[in-house]
Amino acid sequence: MFDSGDFSETPLWYKDAIIYELHVKTFFDKNGDGIGDFKGLTEKLDYLESLGVNAIWLLPFFPSPLKDDGYDISDYYDIHPHYGNMRDFKNFLREAHHRGMKVIIELVLNHTSDQHKWFQRARKKDAPKKWRDFYVWSDKPDNYLDARIIFQDFETSNWTRDPENEKFFWHRFYSHQPDLNYDNPEVQKEIFKIIDFWMKMGVDGMRLDAVPYLFEREGTNCENLPESIDFLKKLRAHVDRYYQNRMILAEANQWPEDAILYFGNGDACHMAFHFPLMPRMFMALRMEDRFPIIDILEQTPPIPDNCQWALFLRNHDELTLEMVTDEERDYMYRVYARDKAARINLGIRRRLAPLLENHRRKMEIMKFLLLSLPGTPTLYYGDEIAMGDNHFLGDRDGVRTPMQWSADRNAGFSRANPQKLYLPVTIDPEYHYETVNVENQEQNQTSFLWWVKRVIAMRKNFKAFGRGTIEFLHPDNPKILAFLRKYQDEIILVVINLSRFSQVVELDLSPYAGYTPVEVFSKNPFPVIQEKPYIMTLGFHTYFWFVLKKEVVASPEKKVREISLLKSKSDWIELFSSQLKTKIESMILPQFLMEQRW
């Protein structure tokens, strides 16, 4: 076990992080206008601290027309007035750091809003080449035809004709998001200025949006080009030169062999999302077979020691199914999105709880997997209380509804007239905010919220989860996923029953003969491992973390120790103001507390 108190000052802090993702507008409305703001988020930092997260990832909060929920940025140097002002952001940043929390913000590298001054300047008919070259233009929409269209439900081409200058501009996403021209050195300089602005302010990390699409080259699919990797290496060198303990995270929805390009040789991005793993975790649970998880992780090449995968179950977008085969996508649609209204682009726009039919054990298994596999886990706001969604709202707004704090009006999110809320609160009978909210679950220690708190707190005691190796076991029973996480002298055995029925499994743990598996939550020792197969009987959807200890742990029944007895002639109130207070604090209480299971 290790002390996580040094988290904030560690260069590799992102390996030990528990990231919490949220949009400022969704979390808490302090000024009563129906939209969450930085003052409200700052007020709820104590909640996040109690949850156990130590890094906050903020979705875009910059000035924007909000046609794409803020990913269409019109000014990189300010705060959208809906969310407050720069003073509010700096106060939030200071309070987060005071609690030992890192702050990660978005940097949308690939494109801007068509309302950005750069584009307004570039689109003019008589615009000089210096301004025009900030974006990618063509007289005809017949270049880069091998590039796929990402938002297939909304766009039919990656080119759009601008009525002002009658030329076509290039965009990989929505037509109101023109792509920047990274072949122009002036664009790269502007990006470095933006990074300096926010890094000097004190942000700890940046999620780089849509990094596979920065450059375009004829005859390619315009993804994962060497030029993009070279630019990211320049960006990383700049960050390392001028700032300490900062992190950049690549959002690259690619197959593992392509995604690892964004690590470089440990000199590009510190982190990257492991997109292909996410759908396969859902597949494994539904199929009751460990194969999809083991298969994709065995396809994942090793990464540099100073790099880390970022893992997630759900985020602010759809459960993307781009990095699966057509057959796998059809299967996922059949079992997780029978209602076609839940499908969008190549994904499913549902939250975790509705995806798993609000099945408590299944949600626990998925969270347990997220916290057990190699990488840094990312939690999406509201999933810790099993919030529902409304997939009948437009685009992906169904998974971006207000955080549910209490059974009060507007789910305790805002004092505004309900009609003023940026999105309606969830009133689905199964996930209604009057039932599913933080206040209710904080009062019930068997709630999903308390379960999440306990598992996060336990995970933070072991570096093996964030930094260790993984070694899969291959028992004959395919419904059991078992693996070892190892780091220095820590050995963690993870055993998960993916089946809805009880199972028996024989694990080959012979290399650890003589070790005792100790269940981490109860501290109960299990039978000592021997050379022969280790037999376990598992209930439905059961999961375990065991610490393998070399020494034999005595059973609790055999351990008998008298409780310390303190005698004093003085009044018991005076006892705590006398010299005995020091003895109680330094000797008696610490020894007693260390021996308690809790």
Side-chain angles (χ1 to χ4, degrees), residues 25-26 66-69 316 344 349 351 380-381 389-402 422-424:
K25 74 175 184 182
T26 66
L66 299 178
K67 292 183 179 180
D68 185 21
D69 209 27
H316 60 285
I344 187 172
R349 50 180 172 185
R351 269 189 175 271
Y380 189 49
Y381 85 96
D389 58 34
N390 182 356
H391 64 278
F392 298 104
L393 295 174
D395 196 6
R396 292 154 291 180
D397 285 342
V399 299
R400 301 168 180 175
T401 54
Y422 74 92
L423 282 175

Side-chain angles (χ1 to χ4, degrees), residues 432-548:
H432 200 290
Y433 69 85
E434 291 183 352
T435 303
V436 180
N437 61 68
V438 172
E439 184 177 83
N440 283 355
Q441 295 198 22
E442 282 188 330
Q443 294 172 4
N444 177 5
Q445 294 198 8
T446 65
S447 68
F448 191 56
L449 174 61
W450 270 100
W451 181 89
V452 172
K453 286 184 179 184
R454 282 191 285 266
V455 178
I456 288 176
M458 184 57 71
R459 184 192 191 274
K460 289 164 71 176
N461 288 324
F462 301 96
K463 279 197 174 183
F465 290 117
R467 305 191 184 209
T469 59
I470 186 168
E471 176 189 340
F472 286 105
L473 304 179
H474 298 277
D476 291 338
N477 189 340
K479 299 179 184 298
I480 305 303
L481 174 65
F483 52 89
L484 294 160
R485 302 299 314 277
K486 292 189 279 188
Y487 180 78
Q488 296 178 357
D489 60 345
E490 290 180 3
I491 307 174
I492 311 292
L493 170 64
V494 181
V495 183
I496 300 173
N497 179 12
L498 298 169
S499 174
R500 64 193 186 280
F501 301 113
S502 298
Q503 300 289 327
V504 65
V505 65
E506 294 185 355
L507 300 176
D508 181 8
L509 295 172
S510 54
Y512 302 96
Y515 284 72
T516 299
V518 179
E519 203 275 323
V520 300
F521 293 96
S522 66
K523 308 299 183 194
N524 288 331
F526 275 47
V528 177
I529 298 169
Q530 300 177 7
E531 294 287 345
K532 62 184 180 181
Y534 196 86
I535 300 176
M536 297 184 71
T537 303
L538 305 172
F540 73 98
H541 294 318
T542 304
Y543 44 84
F544 290 103
W545 282 337
F546 296 103
V547 177
L548 301 190

Side-chain angles (χ1 to χ4, degrees), residues 94-132:
R94 181 171 57 253
E95 290 297 322
H97 286 165
H98 177 70
R99 291 166 173 79
M101 295 180 180
K102 300 290 187 179
V103 175
I104 303 165
I105 69 170
E106 291 270 2
L107 180 58
V108 183
L109 286 175
N110 181 68
H111 51 263
T112 69
S113 165
D114 58 9
Q115 302 303 308
H116 196 290
K117 65 179 181 181
W118 296 344
F119 188 75
Q120 292 300 315
R121 198 166 54 189
R123 74 191 305 184
K124 295 184 182 300
K125 264 195 171 182
D126 56 350
K129 188 175 186 302
K130 175 181 178 182
W131 305 132
R132 181 68 54 84

Side-chain angles (χ1 to χ4, degrees), residues 176-217:
H176 55 77
Q177 294 170 324
D179 279 22
L180 290 163
N181 176 19
Y182 275 85
D183 283 315
N184 182 356
E186 294 301 315
V187 169
Q188 298 189 23
K189 287 181 183 177
E190 288 292 341
I191 296 299
F192 278 55
K193 288 180 184 176
I194 295 166
I195 290 172
D196 286 337
F197 179 82
W198 293 102
M199 289 283 186
K200 287 178 181 176
M201 199 177 297
V203 300
D204 304 285
M206 288 186 169
R207 174 189 181 270
L208 307 182
D209 183 65
V211 291
Y213 319 113
L214 302 184
F215 287 81
E216 302 80 31
R217 293 293 181 266

Side-chain angles (χ1 to χ4, degrees), residues 2-144:
F2 79 104
D3 178 10
S4 58
D6 60 351
F7 169 78
S8 296
E9 303 305 322
T10 305
L12 298 179
W13 60 266
Y14 47 89
K15 290 199 170 194
D16 303 318
I18 307 289
I19 301 174
Y20 190 89
E21 177 194 3
L22 62 91
H23 199 307
V24 179
K25 74 175 184 182
T26 66
F27 215 56
F28 187 63
D29 171 23
K30 182 67 174 176
N31 63 7
D33 65 353
I35 303 171
D37 46 49
F38 275 109
K39 287 183 177 179
L41 175 56
T42 304
E43 187 171 308
K44 294 298 184 180
L45 283 175
D46 288 343
Y47 165 76
L48 295 179
E49 185 178 21
S50 72
L51 183 61
V53 301
N54 48 23
I56 303 172
W57 162 23
L58 300 177
L59 300 183
F61 50 77
F62 311 98
S64 164
L66 299 178
K67 292 183 179 180
D68 185 21
D69 209 27
Y71 281 89
D72 47 334
I73 295 174
S74 58
D75 183 357
Y76 286 95
Y77 296 97
D78 206 351
I79 308 293
H80 197 293
H82 284 173
Y83 315 137
N85 54 40
M86 195 62 74
R87 181 188 305 163
D88 298 333
F89 174 79
K90 290 179 179 178
N91 183 55
F92 156 74
L93 189 64
R94 181 171 57 253
E95 290 297 322
H97 286 165
H98 177 70
R99 291 166 173 79
M101 295 180 180
K102 300 290 187 179
V103 175
I104 303 165
I105 69 170
E106 291 270 2
L107 180 58
V108 183
L109 286 175
N110 181 68
H111 51 263
T112 69
S113 165
D114 58 9
Q115 302 303 308
H116 196 290
K117 65 179 181 181
W118 296 344
F119 188 75
Q120 292 300 315
R121 198 166 54 189
R123 74 191 305 184
K124 295 184 182 300
K125 264 195 171 182
D126 56 350
K129 188 175 186 302
K130 175 181 178 182
W131 305 132
R132 181 68 54 84
D133 282 354
F134 260 64
Y135 297 86
V136 181
W137 300 91
S138 176
D139 292 326
K140 296 181 179 180
D142 55 4
N143 294 332
Y144 317 130

